[in-house]
Amino acid sequence: MSLAQRWLRTPIGVLRVTASDRGVTNIDRVAMKSNRVARQSSQRGTSAAQRQADRAVRELREYFAGKRTRFTVPVQLEGTPFQEQAWATMRKIPYGHTMSYAEQATAMRAPRAVRAVGSANGANPVPIIVPCHRVVASNGGLGGYALGLAMKRWLLAHESRA
């Protein structure tokens, strides 16, 4: 299986998007100089993995520009059955809406597994596309976020403007 990576400058940092020929496998935040981001972002490829990465970057750009509310790029998620169920549940949360960890656990038919849901969400390898930022604490707090609470705050504010 081949992998391709693309970098994307966003309003709140640089994201690295990794994809296989089957879909996006990872999104993470990286420290990178702007000239390298521009150089890496301008390289377009022809392999299936490169096309998936290019498509993900295009959709993420549209999302950050306020022109996309739903992602269609395929994702390739690999985790435990419980994690995969948690990630599938998050993908059903509509743009601009939130769900508490407790509500997510109930939706998964595991109402007592709130902490396990939080752990599964924290292990989400494809944040933003699999919108773990839309899951918040029952008391209205943000909870956690692998890309940082500042990014979670920004994403929720961005979606609430729509």
Side-chain angles (χ1 to χ4, degrees), residues 80-95:
T80 67
F82 186 84
Q83 287 173 327
E84 290 177 4
Q85 183 184 12
W87 302 335
T89 302
M90 284 188 291
R91 293 192 82 185
K92 294 176 186 173
I93 305 170
Y95 181 93

Side-chain angles (χ1 to χ4, degrees), residues 39-75:
R39 187 173 64 248
Q40 293 288 351
S41 296
S42 67
Q43 295 176 354
R44 299 246 180 234
T46 56
S47 76
Q50 291 166 329
R51 286 191 303 274
Q52 294 289 11
D54 290 343
R55 180 176 171 189
V57 165
R58 184 179 67 251
E59 289 190 10
L60 284 163
R61 277 194 184 116
E62 293 167 355
Y63 169 84
F64 282 108
K67 297 176 182 173
R68 176 173 291 276
T69 59
R70 192 171 153 274
F71 292 96
T72 60
V73 65
V75 293

Side-chain angles (χ1 to χ4, degrees), residues 67-150:
K67 297 176 182 173
R68 176 173 291 276
T69 59
R70 192 171 153 274
F71 292 96
T72 60
V73 65
V75 293
Q76 181 183 346
L77 300 172
E78 295 180 12
T80 67
F82 186 84
Q83 287 173 327
E84 290 177 4
Q85 183 184 12
W87 302 335
T89 302
M90 284 188 291
R91 293 192 82 185
K92 294 176 186 173
I93 305 170
Y95 181 93
H97 292 82
T98 60
M99 171 184 277
S100 72
Y101 294 98
E103 290 169 329
Q104 183 182 0
T106 299
M108 294 170 57
R109 299 192 172 152
R112 300 182 111 169
V114 176
R115 286 181 187 231
V117 162
S119 293
N121 292 3
N124 171 18
V126 187
I128 305 171
I129 293 175
V130 177
C132 50
H133 62 278
R134 296 180 189 154
V135 183
V136 297
S138 296
N139 66 4
L142 291 179
Y145 193 57
L147 297 178
L149 290 180

Side-chain angles (χ1 to χ4, degrees), residues 3-67:
L3 294 175
Q5 292 185 331
R6 296 290 178 265
W7 287 261
L8 170 67
R9 189 180 306 114
T10 74
I12 48 179
V14 176
L15 298 178
R16 176 177 46 204
V17 177
T18 305
S20 73
D21 56 345
R22 292 179 26 215
V24 180
T25 60
N26 194 57
I27 296 175
D28 60 343
R29 198 168 174 182
V30 296
M32 182 182 282
K33 295 187 178 186
S34 332
N35 59 348
R36 185 169 174 208
V37 173
R39 187 173 64 248
Q40 293 288 351
S41 296
S42 67
Q43 295 176 354
R44 299 246 180 234
T46 56
S47 76
Q50 291 166 329
R51 286 191 303 274
Q52 294 289 11
D54 290 343
R55 180 176 171 189
V57 165
R58 184 179 67 251
E59 289 190 10
L60 284 163
R61 277 194 184 116
E62 293 167 355
Y63 169 84
F64 282 108
K67 297 176 182 173

